[in-house]
Amino acid sequence: MASQQLAIKRQEIIRNLANIRQRIEAIVERKYEARLVAISKLKPISDIRIAYEDGQRHFGENYVQELVEKSKELPLDIQWHFVGPLQSNKCKMLAAIPNLWVIETIDSQNKADLMNKACALRESPLRIFVQVNTSREESKNGVSPDECITVLNHVQDNCPKLQLAGLMTIGAPNRDVNEPNPDFILLKNLQTQFQEVRGIELELSMGMSDDFEDALKLGATNVRVGSAIFGARPPKH
């Protein structure tokens, strides 16, 4: 029975991945590269292996300990994204993961400094995205839009072990779906503003299972899709 369930799950994940990839390509049309990050938090290693065997390499995790454990069990050519809230006392644990590809949730100068220090022994700088609370919700992490450029400049000028690579937002779920997402527009404007000042074009990580197509239409280069690939997540205990 277990093997039958695994076979059904394999078909489901492969079918879902094909669907998401086709929808991404229909929008970008090879005009630029858009990266699909499969968000695998709270999902078993067997699910990740199915996606890996289907060619998926970028995976995202929300919890440091879960990422540490999965990274030890899975192939080293997986490119891990940490997409959860970054706790100061977990920076060293993250930095020690050899195939950690990016931290998408740097949300203050202090976190950037701590992560920079934690990466002292890494051979090359670690990519980071600065998370912006574009919707200004108290329940969300992220630097305020007003402080974003200051934090970006700080990372670029004071954190040699970090590679400033992009901006990230989650955005508000309750919005007018008939209008362009204001969170995505704001992130795009911040990207443009920083590029005009510093000459650095940052990536845009925005869009999830329900709105990644809207994000792509507004310039996303990194979309984070979980439930539309792996199915609904179990509750975290």
Side-chain angles (χ1 to χ4, degrees):
M1 182 62 73
S3 60
Q4 183 180 4
Q5 290 176 335
L6 184 61
I8 293 172
K9 190 64 177 178
R10 180 182 300 277
Q11 291 177 345
E12 177 187 330
I13 291 174
I14 291 174
R15 182 175 63 248
N16 290 343
L17 271 172
N19 175 263
I20 299 297
R21 289 165 178 162
Q22 289 169 3
R23 290 161 65 186
I24 291 173
E25 181 55 36
I27 294 172
V28 303
E29 296 179 330
R30 299 183 182 176
K31 294 174 185 175
Y32 69 95
E33 184 177 343
R35 181 184 309 107
L36 171 60
V37 183
I39 303 299
S40 49
K41 70 175 183 180
L42 302 180
K43 290 297 179 178
I45 283 177
S46 57
D47 284 8
I48 300 174
R49 287 192 186 279
I50 290 169
Y52 175 87
E53 290 166 3
D54 196 53
Q56 182 66 28
R57 289 296 179 270
H58 288 268
F59 293 87
E61 291 287 336
N62 281 59
Y63 307 108
V64 174
Q65 191 59 50
E66 184 178 359
L67 174 52
V68 168
E69 292 170 2
K70 287 178 174 177
S71 68
K72 291 176 180 178
E73 295 290 327
L74 288 157
L76 271 173
D77 62 334
I78 283 180
Q79 296 167 303
W80 292 107
H81 294 230
F82 182 71
V83 297
L86 178 60
Q87 298 172 284
S88 301
N89 62 347
K90 298 294 178 64
C91 290
K92 287 185 179 180
M93 290 177 66
L94 278 172
I97 299 171
N99 52 332
L100 178 64
W101 197 79
V102 67
I103 294 176
E104 296 202 21
T105 49
I106 296 293
D107 59 4
S108 69
Q109 293 186 30
N110 181 56
K111 295 279 181 65
D113 290 338
L114 290 170
M115 202 66 231
N116 181 68
K117 184 178 180 180
C119 290
L121 298 180
R122 288 182 71 98
E123 292 184 7
S124 56
L126 175 66
R127 293 177 190 84
I128 64 102
F129 292 174
V130 170
Q131 181 177 356
V132 185
N133 186 354
T134 52
S135 55
R136 302 179 188 268
E137 295 174 81
E138 290 186 7
S139 61
K140 285 195 170 71
N141 293 320
V143 63
S144 75
D146 301 333
E147 299 173 350
C148 177
I149 300 300
T150 299
V151 175
L152 292 173
N153 282 325
H154 178 83
V155 174
Q156 184 66 20
D157 296 335
N158 299 286
C159 300
K161 296 302 290 185
L162 304 181
Q163 178 188 335
L164 182 58
L167 294 165
M168 183 272 247
T169 188
I170 295 174
N174 299 319
R175 61 179 185 84
D176 186 348
V177 296
N178 297 314
E179 297 291 335
N181 190 320
D183 292 295
F184 298 164
I185 292 173
L186 178 52
L187 204 70
K188 178 71 173 177
N189 289 340
L190 289 168
Q191 177 202 44
T192 300
Q193 185 179 344
F194 187 69
Q195 185 173 1
E196 289 174 350
V197 173
R198 300 298 299 262
I200 299 169
E201 183 176 2
L202 298 174
E203 287 202 42
L204 295 177
S205 176
M206 55 191 195
M208 297 184 284
S209 288
D210 293 335
D211 59 4
F212 72 89
E213 287 163 306
D214 292 337
L216 289 166
K217 291 173 184 176
L218 290 172
T221 56
N222 189 87
V223 293
R224 311 180 305 272
V225 180
S227 58
I229 295 173
F230 297 111
R233 295 186 195 95
K236 181 175 173 58
H237 297 295

